[in-house]
Amino acid sequence: MEGGTEMTVDELLKEYETKKFFYQSGGITATGGEPMVQIDFLTELFTEAHKRGIHTCLDTSGVTFRPDDPENLMKVDKLLEVTDLVMLDINPQEHLKLCKQPNDNILAFAKYLDEKGIQMWIRHVVVPHITLNKEYLYELGLFIGKLKMVKALDILPYHDMAKPKYEKLGMDYPLKDIEPATKEMAVAARKIVLQGFKESRIKLLQENK
């Protein structure tokens, strides 16, 4: 929440324009940390980007979404009006042990995006002994299969590249005893997620007939 380099919307877009000739497609992606912590600035940035015909992507965990807070919803709606794609990290309730946050509002955010017709790119990190669990993965597939606006799915293997950063900050790394996941683990996990996804989609199609 502190430090970093403060920049205005104009400064950011000026930097974008100077590198524009490198870009074949795509646009601007707001990532983090958690970009929705600065939702007012983010909305200003995406609004100006849209005026210039620049595609906007929000890379978020959805953790700041508060469906019972009218002021939060108003701000989210304003942001979504100028958001073309949301890359959303979804993890099972088990991630409470690591993030100290329940995933209820994250799942609610996914449903809200679906209702608003916002395209989603779902990502899930498989962590051995924690999220690399057949039951969790299958349930994840069942959940995202109900979302009509899901356009892509990434199942990513956990890595421990953050470990040295924690050491430099004098912080305890919560996954210090967990080995990184392999690509093979991620491929196997994706198959389980897709199994649940396909079953949900088939059921959805049958219900809409």
Side-chain angles (χ1 to χ4, degrees):
M1 299 297 293
E2 298 178 0
T5 303
E6 290 190 5
M7 297 181 72
T8 66
V9 166
D10 286 341
E11 287 171 337
L12 281 173
L13 291 177
K14 184 177 181 180
E15 185 172 331
Y16 170 88
E17 293 293 342
T18 61
K19 299 178 176 66
K20 190 175 181 179
F21 58 93
F22 284 113
Y23 309 144
Q24 299 299 316
S25 59
I28 289 177
T29 298
T31 182
E34 176 47 62
M36 290 182 72
V37 169
Q38 300 185 59
I39 192 167
D40 294 330
F41 179 81
L42 185 58
T43 302
E44 184 184 346
L45 173 64
F46 278 15
T47 298
E48 186 58 36
H50 260 211
K51 289 179 182 178
R52 304 186 188 194
I54 301 171
H55 183 278
T56 56
C57 175
L58 171 62
D59 182 358
T60 178
S61 69
V63 72
T64 65
F65 183 63
R66 298 290 181 268
D68 298 325
D69 181 344
E71 184 178 351
N72 179 260
L73 275 181
M74 183 176 65
K75 289 189 175 186
V76 169
D77 285 345
K78 192 174 180 180
L79 173 61
L80 294 182
E81 287 176 3
V82 287
T83 300
D84 297 307
L85 173 69
V86 173
M87 299 178 73
L88 182 63
D89 296 327
I90 295 183
N91 285 299
Q93 193 66 16
E94 189 73 4
H95 92 310
L96 176 64
K97 295 178 182 177
L98 299 175
C99 304
K100 311 303 180 186
Q101 293 282 344
N103 68 351
D104 297 348
N105 53 333
I106 298 171
L107 300 183
F109 186 54
K111 293 178 181 177
Y112 194 72
L113 291 172
D114 204 52
E115 293 169 3
K116 292 288 183 179
I118 305 295
Q119 290 192 351
M120 281 176 276
W121 186 329
I122 302 297
R123 297 187 302 176
H124 176 74
V125 179
V126 286
V127 184
H129 313 299
I130 299 178
T131 62
L132 190 55
N133 177 296
K134 289 183 178 180
E135 182 181 351
Y136 296 149
L137 294 168
Y138 178 70
E139 288 179 355
L140 173 64
L142 289 177
F143 175 76
I144 64 176
K146 298 174 184 176
L147 305 174
K148 300 183 290 296
M149 298 306 296
V150 171
K151 302 303 177 183
L153 168 68
D154 277 343
I155 302 298
L156 308 170
Y158 156 74
H159 60 72
D160 61 359
M161 288 189 288
K163 191 180 292 186
K165 297 179 183 179
Y166 274 75
E167 291 175 355
K168 288 181 180 179
L169 291 169
M171 298 170 62
D172 183 52
Y173 188 60
L175 298 176
K176 59 187 176 185
D177 298 322
I178 302 292
E179 290 294 321
T182 64
K183 290 183 180 179
E184 290 75 18
M185 289 178 181
V187 170
R190 192 174 193 274
K191 290 180 180 178
I192 298 171
V193 175
L194 287 177
Q195 179 187 350
F197 180 89
K198 290 174 182 176
E199 289 180 18
S200 261
R201 279 295 167 94
I202 291 171
K203 186 176 180 181
L204 197 63
L205 289 171
Q206 290 173 341
E207 291 174 349
N208 291 332
K209 282 184 178 179

